[in-house]
Amino acid sequence: MNTIYDIQQLLKKFGIFIYIGDRIADLELMEAEIQELYDSLLIEPQQYQSAILLLRHEAQLLKEKLQKGE
């Protein structure tokens, strides 16, 4: 997995579609869903690790961007 889009496609395979309208909230909800899939043994550890790292990195970038905008 290299992008957030890849994560969305993985979630889509399980019938999970996420759009709240707040990008940071979307990323946090995606992280929770990935965690649930991993806990249920539906995705591989490698998929879990790369997805969590991508989501957390993207969320951190957005939070930093918001702080600079204030």
Side-chain angles (χ1 to χ4, degrees):
M1 260 177 274
N2 297 319
T3 65
I4 299 300
Y5 179 76
D6 294 337
I7 296 170
Q8 289 172 321
Q9 294 307 305
L10 175 64
L11 292 171
K12 189 175 171 182
K13 288 179 185 178
F14 294 97
I16 302 168
F17 297 87
I18 296 174
Y19 180 75
I20 295 174
D22 175 9
R23 184 67 171 162
I24 294 174
D26 288 346
L27 295 171
E28 291 171 352
L29 186 54
M30 282 187 236
E31 184 176 335
E33 291 294 341
I34 290 290
Q35 181 70 50
E36 286 293 322
L37 291 172
Y38 178 70
D39 290 344
S40 300
L41 303 175
L42 295 172
I43 60 173
E44 298 293 322
Q46 175 69 24
Q47 289 176 303
Y48 169 75
Q49 289 175 341
S50 61
I52 292 296
L53 285 173
L54 273 168
L55 290 167
R56 289 181 181 170
H57 179 71
E58 183 73 16
Q60 183 64 34
L61 289 175
L62 287 171
K63 288 175 185 176
E64 288 173 5
K65 187 177 177 182
L66 286 174
Q67 287 177 346
K68 288 181 182 177
E70 293 180 2

